[in-house]
């Protein structure tokens, strides 16, 4: 690799000590150093590099400019407890088109909430944590802009779990969120606030985030529809990221057709997000997802995933309900069979490696190799890490850093590479099954919603509330397949028979065949009453 210059200005601070101090970090196994005879020259080259680095740092950042004239931010405020009895709102605001440009748009008349890791310029962002304080984004997430351009009114941001790193709804710095069907039970996470706001009719739709199930899990727990589309179908630009190969954003609503409509409004490349790859439909060719979702399914094939109904944490009652729900497709002319995909059992382990090692690098500000938008104003809020910030980080985030740094220092350095390659193997297994079946179905979550933990619990007690929660959801984050949760009934917790809580069925399809996933979801919800189905 070439160098751009050897010029060094007066007052350049680089000395030979910077070179000798840097090289030991190359390896933990031995103390690496440059040759003494070459030290002066490496020092000179480093000094020149310093000039380039500081020049780039001195330049103004280059970020999209939000259209706050067309879409002004009005009545921005943090609601009081009286205004926020469910504790589901992170911020309230009113943002809508003040021109006639969006009149007749797909989302005209619809109210929308954003997960509180979405950037919306001028509206503060909590990200569910006390680690980051006083961050008010300066840009709008692409998907938020597209929703506004389609005529939607954004009326606020829903609470998300702590840095989007937890699957039970008691990790947010603003306090727990209770299941609307039974106080004391989890909503799931991390898009917890948005799910509750939809379930309780406070908002029509929402845009959530999903790295391990964070749209589908709360959808399942609250009886709504949550869709993680094919990886890259919706740009992730302007949304707080965890790890770029598993980051997804997607629509949530009470019905599949509403989800399909929101998807149509926000899908397609934005020319910024490098998660969007070959196969993503051009903006001029976005499918009419609602129309496609309404097509009949006669003659199509459904595979009930054997490994999905027999996970290590499976509640047999949940598995039985999902099989019963899937069998309803037979009355609509579809063939329903059981299918085995052994890689489904391995996928959560691969997801764990990726979500620990790679996410650690990003949490430490070391992420690289990307094209796209970096929210440097957000990075500046949480870096560098301090003891105070680490103490305020929820146990799941602390655990990611500890796990990731341990693996990078003590285990074979090919671990992440091995997991990356094996993800392709698992994806190929799903693809082989999906060549035989139009969709695969399985429980979104293997068990009935659990009780909330307490912020005063120890690490193991807190983490145990989510043990096995994502076994059926996180596989499709690493493989990228479209996956949607629809409600199919109520079941009681094992030790609380008087309580009835929602159960979700997950529908998974081929890459870029999001329409078929929606088609099967719509077919089920229009021929069954999910609230009475399990009775």
């Amino acid at each position: 690799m070439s160098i751009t210059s050897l010029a060094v200005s007066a007052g350049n601070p680089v000395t030979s000590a910077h070179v000798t101090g840097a090289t030991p970090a190359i390896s933990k196994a031995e103390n690496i150093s440059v040759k003494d005879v070459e030290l002066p020259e490496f020092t000179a080259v480093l000094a020149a590099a310093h000039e380039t680095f500081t020049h780039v740092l001195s330049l103004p950042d280059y970020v999209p400019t939000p259209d706050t004239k067309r879409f002004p931010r009005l009545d921005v405020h943090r609601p009081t407890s009286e205004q926020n009895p469910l504790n589901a709102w992170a911020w309230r605001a009113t943002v809508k088109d003040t021109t006639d440009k969006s009149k007749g748009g797909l989302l005209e008349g619809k109210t929308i909430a954003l997960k509180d890791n979405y950037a919306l310029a001028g509206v503060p962002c909590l990200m569910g944590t006390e680690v980051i304080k006083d961050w008010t984004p300066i840009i709008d997430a692409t998907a938020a802009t597209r929703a506004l351009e389609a005529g939607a009114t954004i009326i606020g941001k829903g609470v998300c779990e702590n840095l989007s790193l937890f699957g039970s709804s008691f990790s947010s710095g603003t306090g727990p969120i209770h299941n609307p069907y039974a106080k004391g039970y989890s909503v799931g996470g991390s898009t917890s606030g948005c799910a509750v706001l939809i379930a309780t009719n406070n908002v029509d739709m929402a845009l959530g985030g999903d790295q391990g199930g964070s749209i589908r899990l709360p959808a399942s727990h609250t009886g709504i529809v949550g869709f993680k589309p094919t990886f890259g179908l919706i740009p992730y630009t302007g949304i707080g990221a965890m790890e770029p190969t598993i980051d997804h954003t997607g629509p949530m609503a009470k019905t599949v057709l509403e989800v399909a409509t929101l998807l149509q409004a926000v899908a397609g490349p934005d020319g910024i997000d490098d998660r969007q790859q070959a196969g993503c439909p051009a903006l001029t060719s976005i499918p009419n997802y609602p129309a496609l979702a309404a097509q009949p399914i006669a003659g199509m094939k459904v595979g009930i995933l054997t490994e999905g109904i027999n996970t290590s944490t499976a509640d047999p009652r949940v598995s039985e309900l999902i099989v019963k729900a899937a069998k309803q497709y037979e009355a609509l002319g579809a063939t329903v069979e059981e299918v085995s995909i052994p890689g489904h059992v391995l996928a959560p382990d691969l997801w764990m490696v990726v979500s620990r090692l790679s996410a650690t690098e990003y949490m430490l500000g070391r992420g690289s190799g990307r094209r796209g938008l970096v929210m440097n104003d957000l990075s500046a809020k949480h870096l560098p890490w301090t003891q105070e910030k680490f103490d305020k980080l929820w146990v799941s985030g602390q655990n990611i850093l500890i796990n990731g740094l341990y693996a990078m220092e003590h285990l074979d350095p090919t671990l992440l590479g091995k997991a990356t390659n094996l993800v392709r193997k698992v994806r190929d297994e799903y693809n082989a099954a999906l060549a035989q079946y139009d969709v695969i179905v399985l429980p979104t979550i293997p068990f009935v919603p659990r009780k909330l933990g307490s912020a005063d619990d120890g690490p193991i007690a807190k983490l145990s509330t989510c043990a096995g929660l994502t076994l059926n959801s996180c596989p499709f984050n690493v493989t990228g397949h479209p996956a949607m949760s629809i409600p199919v009934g109520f079941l009681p917790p094992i030790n609380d028979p008087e309580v009835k809580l929602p159960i979700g069925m997950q529908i998974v399809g081929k890459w870029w065949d999001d329409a078929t996933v929606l088609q099967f979801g719509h077919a089920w919800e229009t021929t069954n009453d999910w609230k009475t189905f399990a009775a």
Side-chain angles (χ1 to χ4, degrees):
M1 182 176 288
S2 64
I3 56 176
T4 57
S5 172
L6 286 173
V8 176
S9 63
N12 186 294
V14 172
T15 68
S16 60
H18 289 103
V19 177
T20 56
T23 53
I26 296 172
S27 173
K28 298 289 185 181
E30 55 182 290
N31 189 18
I32 293 176
S33 63
V34 300
K35 297 174 182 177
D36 289 342
V37 67
E38 296 175 343
L39 180 58
E41 294 185 48
F42 274 113
T43 302
V45 174
L46 178 58
H50 176 87
E51 300 286 335
T52 300
F53 297 156
T54 54
H55 170 64
V56 172
L57 282 170
S58 72
L59 299 174
D61 207 349
Y62 182 67
V63 299
T65 302
D67 191 346
T68 55
K69 182 177 181 180
R70 180 181 172 186
F71 308 112
R73 285 92 228 271
L74 304 176
D75 194 25
V76 178
H77 66 283
R78 168 83 180 137
T80 65
S81 56
E82 291 77 17
Q83 297 168 330
N84 194 19
L86 301 170
N87 200 32
W89 287 111
W91 286 90
R92 294 302 306 268
T94 299
V95 185
K96 62 181 179 179
D97 197 347
T98 57
T99 73
D100 292 330
K101 293 180 181 179
S102 61
K103 195 168 183 63
L106 284 170
L107 303 178
E108 185 176 19
K110 296 294 185 180
T111 57
I112 287 187
L114 305 176
K115 183 179 181 180
D116 196 32
N117 67 341
Y118 258 71
L120 191 63
V123 179
C125 191
L126 301 174
M127 296 189 70
T129 186
E130 294 180 305
V131 172
I132 298 168
K133 296 181 178 179
D134 305 323
W135 179 48
T136 300
I138 58 175
I139 64 166
D140 287 350
T142 299
T145 299
R146 289 180 177 174
L148 292 168
E149 290 172 341
T153 299
I154 296 173
I155 62 171
K157 301 173 77 177
V159 168
C160 72
E161 296 310 306
N162 209 292
L163 289 178
S164 299
L165 298 177
F166 205 57
S168 186
S169 56
F170 69 102
S171 73
S172 175
T174 55
I177 303 177
H178 295 266
N179 196 298
Y181 289 96
K183 187 174 182 179
Y185 283 88
S186 176
V187 169
S190 58
T191 315
S192 46
C194 289
V196 169
L197 292 169
I198 293 168
T200 55
N201 300 312
N202 281 273
V203 69
D204 295 322
M205 304 170 167
L207 286 166
D210 194 313
Q211 281 84 13
S214 292
I215 288 172
R216 292 159 288 156
L217 303 178
S220 178
H221 273 3
T222 59
I224 68 166
V225 180
F227 189 34
K228 181 202 77 65
T230 299
F231 179 73
L233 178 57
I234 303 174
Y236 203 83
T237 305
I239 307 171
M242 175 181 171
E243 200 286 327
T245 68
I246 61 176
D247 289 331
H248 297 71
T249 185
M252 306 168 77
K254 277 199 168 182
T255 70
V256 173
L257 285 187
E258 288 176 302
V259 161
T261 302
L262 182 50
L263 177 63
Q264 184 179 346
V266 300
D270 69 350
I272 300 175
D273 185 10
D274 64 359
R275 297 171 184 83
Q276 301 188 276
Q277 52 191 277
C280 184
L283 288 177
T284 55
S285 306
I286 302 299
N288 185 335
Y289 289 114
L292 294 171
Q295 297 302 305
I297 63 167
M300 302 178 81
K301 295 184 69 176
V302 178
I304 302 172
L305 183 58
T306 301
E307 289 78 9
I309 59 176
N310 293 300
T311 67
S312 59
T313 57
D315 181 333
R317 301 171 304 153
V318 172
S319 297
E320 289 170 9
L321 176 59
I322 298 307
V323 171
K324 177 186 174 184
K327 290 289 186 181
Q328 301 307 300
Y329 288 125
E330 292 176 333
L332 301 176
T335 300
V336 180
E337 302 171 346
E338 197 165 312
V339 60
S340 175
I341 305 175
H344 183 75
V345 179
L346 173 62
D349 288 350
L350 304 179
W351 173 85
M352 180 177 170
V353 172
V354 172
S355 68
R356 298 299 191 271
L357 276 71
S358 185
T360 292
E361 294 284 52
Y362 279 87
M363 290 178 72
L364 294 177
R366 300 173 183 170
S368 61
R370 303 293 314 287
R371 290 186 172 91
L373 173 71
V374 177
M375 292 191 288
N376 291 308
D377 55 329
L378 172 58
S379 299
K381 289 292 184 181
H382 84 263
L383 294 173
W385 284 95
T386 64
Q387 184 66 55
E388 180 184 8
K389 290 178 181 178
F390 184 79
D391 289 343
K392 290 182 176 180
L393 184 62
W394 189 253
V395 62
S396 51
Q398 295 173 329
N399 188 51
I400 285 174
L401 289 171
I402 293 168
N403 287 186
L405 290 169
Y406 166 80
M408 286 185 275
E409 182 168 349
H410 296 288
L411 300 182
D412 191 311
T414 64
L415 174 60
L416 181 57
K418 176 71 71 68
T420 300
N421 289 343
L422 289 173
V423 164
R424 287 197 344 272
K425 179 178 185 292
V426 173
R427 186 178 64 202
D428 289 346
E429 288 189 36
Y430 287 125
N431 288 343
L434 287 164
Q436 302 298 318
Y437 297 91
D438 293 285
V439 294
I440 294 165
V441 300
L442 64 162
T444 306
I445 300 170
F447 46 81
V448 179
R450 294 169 173 165
K451 286 193 172 183
L452 291 169
S454 168
D456 296 325
D457 289 340
I460 290 179
K462 288 176 180 174
L463 293 172
S464 294
T465 63
C466 295
L469 184 74
T470 62
L471 292 179
N472 281 342
S473 58
C474 71
F476 306 109
N477 288 89
V478 288
T479 68
H481 291 89
M484 179 171 68
S485 181
I486 65 168
V488 294
F490 287 100
L491 286 173
I494 293 175
N495 298 318
D496 203 349
E498 299 304 313
V499 169
K500 298 291 190 296
L501 294 167
I503 302 297
M505 178 171 72
Q506 187 172 203
I507 306 169
V508 181
K510 303 175 183 68
W511 268 66
W512 307 121
D513 194 13
D514 301 71
T516 297
V517 175
L518 295 163
Q519 184 180 357
F520 273 85
H522 179 65
W524 199 95
E525 74 174 12
T526 54
T527 53
N528 297 277
D529 180 355
W530 78 269
K531 290 188 175 181
T532 61
F533 181 73

